[in-house]
Amino acid sequence: MHVPDGFINAPVSLATGVVAAGAVAVSLRGARRELDERTAPLAGLVAAFIFAVQMLNFPVAAGTSGHLLGGALAAILVGPYTGVLCVSVVLLMQGILFADGGLTALGVNITIMAVVTTVVAYAVFRGLVKLLPKKRRSITVSAFVAAVLSVPAAAAAFTLVYAIGGTTDVPIGQVLTAMVGVHVLIGIGEAAITTLTVGAVIAVRPDLVYGARGLTAPLKLRVNGELVDAPAAEPAPVAARSPRKVLLAGLAASLVLAGFVSFYASASPDGLEKVAADKGIDAKAEDHAAADSPLADYGIEGITDSRVSGGLAGVIGVGVTVVAGTGVSWAVRKRRTSETSPSQVEETV
């Protein structure tokens, strides 16, 4: 759903840029409460994983494909504020290096793909986990529903932005129907990827999943015929709780997906591209400002073998995204630490 240059007029593009900048600023502050020594590196990995999986377009209907948006996945794994930052980093890398998503439309894309999906998904997720039993399965079920709903919500948000600032005169009702219709199908794929990923991390390290914090029901023991809370277990040693294995496994998976599996992705246009072509939204689409980038269109200039070119571009994309995402998360974490005053430290001691 990467909006290219020329779809939205300059005033609305500027306005959404202001909205996106404000959302990122709020998220930078909010992420300080979400990130700690273990989850800060995970945020960079989440960004890289989203980048990799977004290269894997999957067919959803005749002549149409879809790909992960990632807002639900990021929000559940590392928190809603950090999730907005993760998806924003991905969109920035894609726009600058790979000419994917217009640069003048960067504010539109961050607003729709990072902010709307994350806010909607996390709101639905939190609402469901409060209603469902406190079990791991409840978390994955909630993640599935949240991811499904986040995608058509983003499609509706795009339609609203286009109704305000679209550069062509098209029936908005038809655009809304087409966008939401195809993105409901894409949402099912989004939900499957999100659920599998969240479930995999919960299976090995539930403590790393932000959305699972505080949701585990205490163990009960029967004493003299009555159920009482079991004594809390001793915390595991820091070394034993290191997320290194999870991070390495996630990074390896991201590299394989972007460097190899992406070659087999669907070549059909994604939901927005198909609707834009069918409804005439793309009549005034403009060439990307970074079209001459050596990595444009997820290939490496000068390499004629498409498999090698695309694979290397994917690996480079994962590398720069994980570095950028980790750098942002560590900077946020460091700022949080530096803002702890000596008096506060003395009080906690």
Side-chain angles (χ1 to χ4, degrees):
M1 196 189 290
H2 294 76
V3 180
D5 295 318
F7 274 30
I8 308 298
N9 62 31
V12 175
S13 294
L14 180 61
T16 54
V18 173
V19 172
V24 169
V26 171
S27 297
L28 285 169
R29 188 172 185 84
R32 300 176 200 172
R33 301 190 298 270
E34 296 172 346
L35 295 170
D36 55 31
E37 291 80 357
R38 288 175 293 132
T39 56
L42 182 63
L45 175 61
V46 168
F49 184 78
I50 291 173
F51 174 90
V53 181
Q54 283 194 1
M55 294 181 67
L56 309 180
N57 280 45
F58 48 84
V60 295
T64 310
S65 69
H67 62 72
L68 181 81
L69 298 185
L73 177 63
I76 295 167
L77 286 180
V78 293
Y81 293 108
T82 308
V84 169
L85 298 179
C86 288
V87 181
S88 298
V89 166
V90 173
L91 294 172
L92 183 62
M93 295 299 102
Q94 290 171 332
I96 293 176
L97 299 178
F98 298 92
D100 189 7
L103 294 183
T104 62
L106 183 60
V108 177
N109 285 318
I110 290 177
T111 299
I112 294 172
M113 295 179 65
V115 179
V116 171
T117 58
T118 302
V119 171
V120 171
Y122 198 70
V124 172
F125 175 81
R126 291 299 301 177
L128 288 175
V129 295
K130 289 180 179 180
L131 296 175
L132 297 175
K134 293 184 177 181
K135 297 180 179 180
R136 289 183 181 180
R137 178 166 296 185
S138 297
I139 297 173
T140 54
V141 169
S142 300
F144 185 93
V145 177
V148 166
L149 295 178
S150 69
V151 178
F158 166 78
T159 306
L160 175 61
V161 172
Y162 197 84
I164 299 171
T167 54
T168 58
D169 186 14
V170 298
I172 295 302
Q174 295 181 16
V175 174
L176 177 63
T177 301
M179 283 292 292
V180 173
V182 71
H183 284 90
V184 166
L185 299 177
I186 295 174
I188 296 174
E190 175 105 8
I193 296 170
T194 299
T195 303
L196 289 172
T197 306
V198 171
V201 179
I202 287 179
V204 293
R205 288 297 301 272
D207 59 299
L208 293 180
V209 179
Y210 182 87
R213 295 179 180 180
L215 298 178
T216 304
L219 179 64
K220 298 287 186 178
L221 296 178
R222 187 172 296 278
V223 179
N224 297 327
E226 296 182 0
L227 288 177
V228 298
D229 292 341
E234 291 294 328
V238 174
R241 299 181 66 83
S242 171
R244 181 175 301 177
K245 291 183 178 180
V246 173
L247 296 175
L248 291 176
L251 180 59
S254 300
L255 291 171
V256 169
L257 291 172
F260 176 74
V261 181
S262 62
F263 181 77
Y264 302 96
S266 173
S268 299
D270 68 18
L272 175 58
E273 292 171 335
K274 187 67 166 62
V275 172
D278 291 345
K279 304 300 180 182
I281 292 176
D282 60 354
K284 295 185 179 180
E286 301 173 0
D287 292 335
H288 200 286
D292 295 331
S293 167
L295 296 172
D297 296 325
Y298 298 94
I300 296 183
E301 185 178 6
I303 299 181
T304 57
D305 189 310
S306 60
R307 185 189 297 268
V308 175
S309 177
L312 287 177
V315 169
I316 292 172
V318 168
V320 296
T321 304
V322 75
V323 170
T326 303
V328 170
S329 61
W330 274 115
V332 171
R333 173 63 183 164
K334 184 176 181 181
R335 183 175 178 83
R336 172 187 172 181
T337 303
S338 65
E339 287 182 350
T340 303
S341 66
S343 61
Q344 289 175 315
V345 174
E346 291 176 1
E347 289 176 4
T348 56
V349 174

